[in-house]
Amino acid sequence: MYSATVSPGRKDPEPYQQSVDEVLSAFRTDAEAGLSREEAGARLQRCGRNELAVEKSEPRWKKFLAQFHDVLVVLLLIASLISGLLWLYEGESALPYEAMAIFAIVLINAVMGFIQQARSEKALAALRQMSSAHAAVVRGGVRQRVPAAEIVPGDIILVEEGDTVPADARLIRTSVLQTMEAVLTGESLPIPKDSSLIMEEVGPAERLNMIFSGTLVTYGRGRAVVAATGMQTQMGRIAGLLKDTPMETTPLQKQLDRVGRLLGAVVVAIAVVMVTTIIVVEEVSGFRAFFSVLILGVALAVAAVPEGLPAVVTTVLSIGVLRMVRRNAIIRRLAAVETLGSTNVIASDKTGTLTKNEMTVRVVATASGRVIMEGAGYEPEGKVRRYDGGVIEGKLGSELMRSLTAAHLANNAVLKERDGRWTVEGDPTEGALIAAARKVGLTDGNLNLRFERIAEVPFSSERKLMSTIHTDAEQKDLLLVHTKGAPDILLGRCMRELVGERVSRLEPARREEIVQVNDELSADALRTIGVAFRHLPVSMLEQGTIDERVEQDLV
């Protein structure tokens, strides 16, 4: 914390265990005015920039030379040098072809390793750019956007749907705020946040009055006071643990080092045995004869070195790296790709993130039947078919289009394609609904051309509903309300049901059928969402009576 130290033996409470007033007092800031520009600058000098520590990069020449550290590579370099000396002594060819071949193999091996490491570091640098670049803060009573790296403890930050949280912060007030914390806690669904005090000691996943650096705001908005920046954040602590993790050699590297040492001992033994045997058997005498025998022993030793082994190993590992890259996996070192093949046991804590953390609409159930939607993730492609295999037409086709229209319009998410990958800005469930609407031809363009949003009743955990109000270009004297939320809550507010193009009364027997269908879908491990609509007179907009009261008498 930014406040003064406490007496020895007394544990300083975390910001989530303090009231808003206590946190503001500890950080000497104001909830409305924030810090002054001068104070923010002074704290930036004292606390440092709001960035994760990055290890000082080694010069490229050092990274290149590091490729020659393996025992086998050193052995090949020695063999290449000796082969070159033999060429100088014997002079039997125009060029030292054998020495050149061995050195070329070693050089190619080093270049491939260096290039792979450079590519991986470039990919890791791109990942670091995913963090928040700018953030909205209040300084001197004025809202402004500043680089996220310049945020300091005590800053008052403003977050809203689609923002990446720039630092760990204690919430001051919220409006239906939800954040996606899968990157930090492993929870796959958005977490509702509020500013209520938490007395007991809990882990990050249960700190509902805190927002954390690097997490995404999927819904609502909030105001918070920054409690930790840089390496002091929860994300920074994880980065510190990763930084302190020692670099271990892979099983393949251990085996190659063992083979290299063994070969080194073997070639030396070959040279010694051969030279000793020839000298003893042939009774060699004289310096010139002795030197010739020595050259012969060295040549035999060099011939025993497997020059092609490093090249074969590098080629095989490179193929493995290419296959991993196709699956969007970053391999920093060539040897590391072999580690996966040496893994015998994978221990994991299943919290929802062993999946891709994406949601997909699988079934749409209406009055006339069910529709199956194929495809995966947020990519708006996939076959749409009837549950019973028939053709989607008539009443079912009309109901499907109206249901997905409501789901698309009662929605605040944005579906985007970037580098061939579809992603969602906002709530994952809402993103899945937009992708489902796209599969049947409903897009932002054709819907927004007809329906213009003029008001919204935000989601709340008490109502478990959200609604949007639109004008309709084809019915200018009426407003159109679209509502989505928990099926059990929504059903209680519906008086009628859409059957084809006709609206009919919702009888008790039909209500029971809808509940049964909902239970069946839930039993299939599907999360269920209900959608509804109603018309309102335009005069209600003029009277200013657009609030949660519109979520009654729904269809």
Side-chain angles (χ1 to χ4, degrees):
M1 290 184 57
Y2 190 80
S3 58
T5 57
V6 296
S7 58
R10 178 175 175 266
K11 187 177 180 180
D12 196 13
E14 296 281 350
Y16 72 88
Q17 297 173 298
Q18 297 177 302
S19 68
V20 171
D21 290 339
E22 289 174 332
V23 174
L24 292 172
S25 176
F27 287 96
R28 301 197 297 278
T29 187
D30 183 86
E32 303 302 324
L35 300 173
S36 66
R37 182 180 300 179
E38 294 75 15
E39 178 61 20
R43 294 191 185 189
L44 183 63
Q45 293 293 323
R46 291 195 298 269
C47 303
R49 293 174 65 82
N50 179 33
E51 296 173 332
L52 298 183
V54 179
E55 293 184 27
K56 188 177 180 181
S57 179
E58 288 185 340
R60 291 187 177 182
W61 63 270
K62 280 190 176 182
K63 294 178 182 178
F64 184 71
L65 290 181
Q67 309 299 320
F68 297 92
H69 286 177
D70 290 343
V71 174
L72 192 57
V73 172
V74 172
L75 194 60
L76 287 175
L77 288 174
I78 295 173
S80 176
L81 177 62
I82 293 174
S83 181
L85 294 175
L86 288 175
W87 172 79
L88 285 175
Y89 173 74
E90 296 174 348
E92 294 179 354
S93 59
L95 292 172
Y97 296 109
E98 184 177 356
M100 292 171 62
I102 297 174
F103 184 75
I105 290 171
V106 173
L107 187 62
I108 291 172
N109 180 71
V111 169
M112 292 180 68
F114 177 77
I115 291 175
Q116 175 58 32
Q117 183 175 348
R119 285 178 176 174
S120 299
E121 289 176 351
K122 184 178 180 180
L124 291 171
L127 288 177
R128 284 194 289 267
Q129 297 301 317
M130 293 172 62
S131 59
S132 175
H134 288 80
V137 302
V138 177
R139 288 182 178 171
V142 178
R143 173 174 176 156
Q144 54 189 280
R145 291 190 68 82
V146 301
E150 296 180 6
I151 286 178
V152 297
D155 259 328
I156 303 299
I157 60 172
L158 307 174
V159 294
E160 57 188 23
E161 185 174 316
D163 288 346
T164 299
V165 179
D168 288 5
R170 170 67 160 89
L171 288 166
I172 298 173
R173 57 177 175 265
T174 64
S175 176
V176 292
L177 181 67
Q178 295 181 8
T179 62
M180 177 61 73
E181 298 181 351
V183 66
L184 183 65
T185 66
E187 295 297 334
S188 60
L189 297 177
I191 308 299
K193 297 287 185 175
D194 60 55
S195 59
S196 301
L197 176 64
I198 299 174
M199 300 297 295
E200 64 274 14
E201 186 173 346
V202 296
E206 289 76 37
R207 298 176 186 179
L208 302 182
N209 57 13
M210 295 285 295
I211 50 177
F212 300 104
S213 174
T215 60
L216 179 68
V217 179
T218 61
Y219 200 86
R221 56 188 178 273
R223 178 182 290 246
V225 54
V226 173
T229 59
M231 295 300 290
Q232 302 303 314
T233 63
Q234 293 294 326
M235 198 69 71
R237 294 177 186 179
I238 294 174
L241 293 174
L242 294 175
K243 183 181 178 182
D244 295 336
T245 302
M247 183 70 72
E248 296 184 2
T249 55
T250 69
L252 178 63
Q253 288 175 308
K254 294 177 182 178
Q255 290 291 338
L256 289 178
D257 285 345
R258 188 179 66 83
V259 170
R261 289 191 293 270
L262 180 61
L263 283 174
V266 168
V267 296
V268 170
I270 289 173
V272 172
V273 170
M274 290 300 299
V275 169
T276 303
T277 302
I278 294 174
I279 290 175
V280 172
V281 173
E282 299 295 333
E283 297 180 355
V284 175
S285 61
F287 174 77
R288 186 173 184 81
F290 178 79
F291 188 73
S292 296
V293 172
L294 181 62
I295 291 299
L296 176 62
V298 171
L300 289 172
V302 170
V305 177
E307 294 89 348
L309 182 57
V312 171
V313 171
T314 300
T315 301
V316 171
L317 292 179
S318 297
I319 293 173
V321 167
L322 289 175
R323 290 179 177 176
M324 296 291 281
V325 167
R326 292 193 189 105
R327 290 163 174 79
N328 298 318
I330 297 174
I331 305 298
R332 189 166 187 175
R333 295 181 301 144
L334 278 176
V337 76
E338 177 265 346
T339 303
L340 185 60
S342 301
T343 301
N344 296 319
V345 178
I346 297 177
S348 61
D349 176 15
K350 179 67 177 81
T351 57
T353 51
L354 290 183
T355 58
K356 294 175 67 177
N357 197 28
E358 295 177 341
M359 302 194 75
T360 306
V361 174
R362 293 295 184 196
V363 181
V364 179
T366 67
S368 301
R370 301 187 196 182
V371 172
I372 304 299
M373 310 197 78
E374 299 180 352
Y378 301 122
E379 186 174 3
E381 294 182 6
K383 189 176 180 180
V384 181
R385 57 183 175 84
R386 282 181 67 110
Y387 183 75
D388 56 12
V391 179
I392 300 175
E393 59 183 5
K395 291 182 179 180
L396 180 59
S398 177
E399 293 161 6
L400 175 65
M401 298 299 285
R402 290 293 295 270
S403 297
L404 292 178
T405 295
H408 189 291
L409 293 175
N411 202 306
N412 288 318
V414 178
L415 192 64
K416 289 186 176 181
E417 182 183 15
R418 185 177 302 164
D419 299 328
R421 182 171 181 266
W422 289 87
T423 58
V424 166
E425 290 184 3
D427 185 83
T429 302
E430 293 192 339
L433 294 172
I434 295 177
R438 293 276 187 94
K439 291 178 183 179
V440 298
L442 298 173
T443 65
D444 293 342
N446 55 33
L447 288 176
N448 293 338
L449 192 63
R450 176 180 174 182
F451 304 103
E452 179 185 354
R453 182 189 293 197
I454 57 173
E456 176 183 348
V457 183
F459 175 87
S460 73
S461 56
E462 292 79 17
R463 293 178 12 260
K464 297 183 180 179
L465 299 172
M466 79 156 289
S467 300
T468 54
I469 297 86
H470 304 259
T471 58
D472 186 346
E474 297 182 5
Q475 293 180 294
K476 296 184 178 180
D477 57 334
L478 294 174
L479 299 177
L480 188 59
V481 178
H482 288 110
T483 303
K484 78 171 189 302
D488 54 338
I489 302 296
L490 192 63
L491 184 60
R493 302 191 180 212
C494 291
M495 301 302 294
R496 292 161 294 163
E497 179 183 22
L498 184 71
V499 182
E501 293 289 344
R502 184 172 60 88
V503 175
S504 60
R505 181 176 175 80
L506 197 56
E507 301 293 344
R510 179 58 187 145
R511 289 180 183 271
E512 292 180 5
E513 290 179 10
I514 294 174
V515 171
Q516 183 178 354
V517 170
N518 185 62
D519 292 342
E520 291 174 0
L521 294 175
S522 298
D524 289 336
L526 295 174
R527 182 185 180 201
T528 57
I529 301 290
V531 292
F533 74 93
R534 69 171 293 189
H535 289 101
L536 294 174
V538 175
S539 59
M540 289 193 66
L541 182 63
E542 300 171 355
Q543 296 169 6
T545 55
I546 301 296
D547 54 31
E548 62 185 63
R549 287 175 291 179
V550 303
E551 296 171 337
Q552 303 290 339
D553 193 25
L554 297 169
V555 181

